[in-house]
Amino acid sequence: MNQKLTLTAAQGNALRTGFQSVFGNAPERYFSAPGRTEIGGNHTDHQRGHVLAAAVNLDTNAAVGLNGTNWIRVQSAGYPMCQVDITDLTPKNEEINSTASLIRGVAARFAQLGCEVKGFDAYVESTVLPGSGLSSSAAFEVLIGTIINHLFFGGKVSQPEVAMIGQYAENVFFGKPCGLMDQTASAVGGMITIDFFEKDHPVIETVDFDFASCGHALCIIDSRASHADLTDEYAAITQEMKSVCAHFGKDVLTEIDEKDFYAAIPVLRETCGDRAVLRCIHFYADNARVPMQVAALRKGDFSEFLRMVKESGHSSWMYLQNVIPANYKAHQDVAVTLCLCDHYLQGKGAYRVHGGGFAGTVQAFVPFEILEDFRKGMDSALGEGACHVLSIRPQGGVEAFC
């Protein structure tokens, strides 16, 4: 996989100018990490299941320079500067759900691995918009991890390990019980399928497929709903699955045979509740679907792949129930976006809730012949620029060049 990345002249100039205006000197090096799209396996990663994911051509780029202090200073365009004292790399309650927690968490894990982390300045520009469903937080974690790995550790840590470091920061310092898919897709690049069963050694395989060769565009539609105040909704999915796992004395659903789960449903409905049972039903079906989607793509059977995308979307809405947050009546943004996809696709292509759900984005595979009408319809209903037409980025988290 090609891991060399050259920034455009406009990107390089913007980063240099931004760095100089903030820090007063010229940057020394450049780094980049992509957003990601989940293509198969919705909420399967945190149960150590299978996923199909890809890096996309929306990037988080940074100009970087050493500063000779014990502080990491990160200025993201349009946001206040974030400063972290690296002489104290312990979790801070006051930093939960903050950018500082991600920086501190990534630096802490590298320090635990024997890396001597030093102070540096970074000016960051990103087209991976927060709340876009394309994992701006994972791209940021991978970016910081890639910077530290190259500046202070000689690149000793592999990109899949950089992903694990990002997950550690998000779980332990940021306070979100996320899986590992987002960080891995961003760190590794291209389209990949991942089997997370072996916790510390996920099996990663490249899937070489071009959606354009089948006459379809990969679209991500922004529902324009915010993830704010939805952390409890996301956490409830893992907590309810864990309650089912606890019945069997296991940590994750991949350790429980599906037949044993179904045999225990009468008891599980009483002890864990029906929503927990339904969410596990989704997991088993979607986890099994991912290898079949990969096989379909490798055989070139795109119509079968699309059929399974639709199946996954239906399962997420009916069983996983990550489309409408609990008690939301007036605002059901993702549900409206899915219905609009159904209308404008005219029975063609496929669509599904994307990523964590509840807010954020919907994914659609749109035939080229209706792409412009589809995009106009979505933008008209949801706001200009809601529909993003994406391509897969071959590179993951890398040092970039101008």
Side-chain angles (χ1 to χ4, degrees), residues 43-47 176-179 231-246 251-253 275-276 279-280 320 358:
H43 279 276
T44 52
D45 60 331
H46 52 72
Q47 296 302 304
K176 183 178 178 181
C178 68
T231 298
D232 289 347
E233 293 280 1
Y234 300 120
I237 294 176
T238 55
Q239 289 165 359
E240 290 175 14
M241 289 181 177
K242 282 182 180 294
S243 72
V244 171
C245 294
D251 293 325
V252 290
L253 290 171
R275 190 172 70 169
R279 283 174 162 171
C280 292
L320 184 61
F358 300 116

Side-chain angles (χ1 to χ4, degrees), residues 36 38 41-44 46 223 227 230 233-238 240-241 275 278-279 282 286 312-326 332-335 338 352-362:
R36 71 95 184 98
E38 166 206 291
N42 193 219
H43 279 276
T44 52
H46 52 72
S223 71
H227 285 89
L230 290 174
E233 293 280 1
Y234 300 120
I237 294 176
T238 55
E240 290 175 14
M241 289 181 177
R275 190 172 70 169
L278 288 166
R279 283 174 162 171
H282 162 81
D286 225 36
S312 177
H314 293 155
S315 178
S316 291
W317 198 338
M318 290 188 294
Y319 306 137
L320 184 61
Q321 300 179 41
N322 68 332
V323 170
I324 303 171
Q332 300 186 5
D333 308 82
V334 174
L338 290 166
R352 64 195 282 270
V353 64
H354 180 251
F358 300 116
T361 57
V362 164

Side-chain angles (χ1 to χ4, degrees), residues 156-373:
K156 292 179 184 177
V157 172
S158 69
Q159 285 310 112
E161 290 170 321
V162 168
M164 293 180 193
I165 290 169
Q167 183 199 28
Y168 169 82
E170 194 154 347
N171 289 173
V172 178
F173 284 70
F174 187 85
K176 183 178 178 181
C178 68
L180 186 56
M181 178 186 66
D182 296 352
Q183 293 86 352
T184 304
S186 177
V188 174
M191 179 157 43
I192 56 175
T193 184
I194 315 165
D195 180 352
F196 287 112
F197 184 72
E198 294 293 337
K199 184 177 180 181
D200 297 323
H201 302 284
V203 178
I204 304 169
E205 296 179 9
T206 299
V207 180
D208 187 12
F209 191 85
D210 179 13
F211 295 118
S213 69
C214 295
H216 284 67
L218 168 62
C219 295
I220 295 294
I221 304 97
D222 188 350
S223 71
R224 302 295 168 89
S226 171
H227 285 89
D229 301 322
L230 290 174
T231 298
D232 289 347
E233 293 280 1
Y234 300 120
I237 294 176
T238 55
Q239 289 165 359
E240 290 175 14
M241 289 181 177
K242 282 182 180 294
S243 72
V244 171
C245 294
H247 172 83
F248 294 92
K250 302 294 184 181
D251 293 325
V252 290
L253 290 171
T254 44
E255 297 175 330
I256 303 166
D257 190 277
E258 186 177 3
K259 291 180 180 178
D260 294 335
F261 162 75
Y262 271 92
I265 281 180
V267 175
L268 294 172
R269 291 184 66 190
E270 293 295 323
T271 58
C272 303
D274 285 350
R275 190 172 70 169
V277 169
L278 288 166
R279 283 174 162 171
C280 292
I281 287 172
H282 162 81
F283 167 80
Y284 282 111
D286 225 36
N287 192 50
R289 210 165 0 246
V290 171
M292 293 189 289
Q293 288 179 295
V294 172
L297 290 177
R298 286 175 171 164
K299 288 190 299 183
D301 191 347
F302 193 60
S303 61
E304 176 65 5
F305 167 77
L306 290 178
R307 185 189 67 78
M308 288 186 280
V309 170
K310 296 174 188 175
E311 276 189 355
S312 177
H314 293 155
S315 178
S316 291
W317 198 338
M318 290 188 294
Y319 306 137
L320 184 61
Q321 300 179 41
N322 68 332
V323 170
I324 303 171
N327 301 317
Y328 275 46
K329 296 179 181 178
H331 298 286
Q332 300 186 5
D333 308 82
V334 174
V336 170
T337 305
L338 290 166
C339 291
L340 288 168
C341 286
D342 188 50
H343 174 75
Y344 286 110
L345 280 172
Q346 308 166 22
K348 301 174 182 177
Y351 64 93
R352 64 195 282 270
V353 64
H354 180 251
F358 300 116
T361 57
V362 164
Q363 180 184 76
F365 295 90
V366 184
F368 287 146
E369 66 267 21
I370 63 170
L371 177 59
E372 206 48 46
D373 287 341

